[in-house]
Amino acid sequence: MVDFEKEENSFIPIILYMDYINAEYNKFLKNYFKNINPRDFTYLVNIFYHPNSSQRELADLLMVSEANVGQIIKRLEKNKLIYREFDEKNKSSRIINLTDEGKSAVFTLLGIAYKWEAKFFENYSLEDKKRFISMISDYYQKSINDNI
């Protein structure tokens, strides 16, 4: 692991910091869940916030291929965390929703995520946290809009 304290911070790309934060968060999640991996967390939370989504809509939302969504959806369905049913408006499409077990997992996952965030921000003011969230959101928006 890089010792950021010893490096010249102005020469370290922000994305490297984000990669390390993500890796640490993934380790944190793995300590709580043995059958849900960090990528599953992203899918489950997005299905929670976007119920009745199709596989295509989920792929667009997560910026991944439909094939990628299909693989993860099969595993989540096998683990009884989600279910698929035919869309009444389009019989060739299936909509995806959480099972009760999936909803319970999301509530637990969100609780753990908020716990991790609280520890992450424990030495910062609410204003600092809001500024950080605003900056990281802006960073994200520019990354998808500018395609540098």
Side-chain angles (χ1 to χ4, degrees):
M1 177 155 47
V2 175
D3 183 354
F4 291 110
E5 297 298 319
K6 292 184 180 180
E7 301 291 331
E8 175 55 49
N9 290 345
S10 63
F11 294 112
I12 298 173
I14 293 170
I15 196 73
L16 185 59
Y17 286 106
M18 293 167 55
D19 282 345
Y20 278 106
I21 291 168
N22 192 50
E24 290 300 319
Y25 182 68
N26 288 345
K27 284 193 314 190
F28 178 82
L29 279 178
K30 286 178 186 178
N31 287 332
Y32 284 90
F33 291 96
K34 302 303 178 210
N35 65 338
I36 297 176
N37 68 46
R39 193 67 183 148
D40 293 345
F41 168 79
T42 302
Y43 278 74
L44 290 168
V45 170
N46 275 283
I47 293 167
F48 176 77
Y49 286 120
H50 303 279
N52 301 313
S53 293
S54 69
Q55 190 168 314
R56 171 79 262 149
E57 291 167 331
L58 201 52
D60 290 344
L61 183 67
L62 297 170
M63 296 178 278
V64 296
S65 70
E66 265 190 88
N68 181 283
V69 171
Q71 291 175 337
I72 293 174
I73 290 302
K74 283 180 188 176
R75 185 176 68 250
L76 294 174
E77 191 172 37
K78 180 181 173 193
N79 290 335
K80 298 180 176 33
L81 297 171
I82 61 118
Y83 66 94
R84 294 183 285 177
E85 59 189 1
F86 288 103
D87 186 346
E88 292 295 321
K89 298 174 191 158
N90 179 1
K91 294 291 184 188
S92 65
S93 179
R94 295 177 81 184
I95 59 171
I96 302 164
N97 283 297
L98 297 172
T99 62
D100 287 341
E101 188 176 337
K103 289 176 188 173
S104 178
V106 167
F107 291 135
T108 301
L109 285 162
L110 287 173
I112 290 167
Y114 291 134
K115 178 181 174 183
W116 188 83
E117 270 189 28
K119 186 163 178 59
F120 184 81
F121 286 111
E122 69 187 352
N123 296 323
Y124 296 95
S125 69
L126 181 58
E127 292 77 27
D128 287 339
K129 179 181 177 182
K130 287 179 180 178
R131 189 171 26 257
F132 176 80
I133 291 169
S134 175
M135 290 173 70
I136 204 77
S137 177
D138 187 50
Y139 187 86
Y140 166 71
Q141 288 300 320
K142 287 179 180 176
S143 74
I144 61 172
N145 293 332
D146 292 343
N147 291 326
I148 298 173

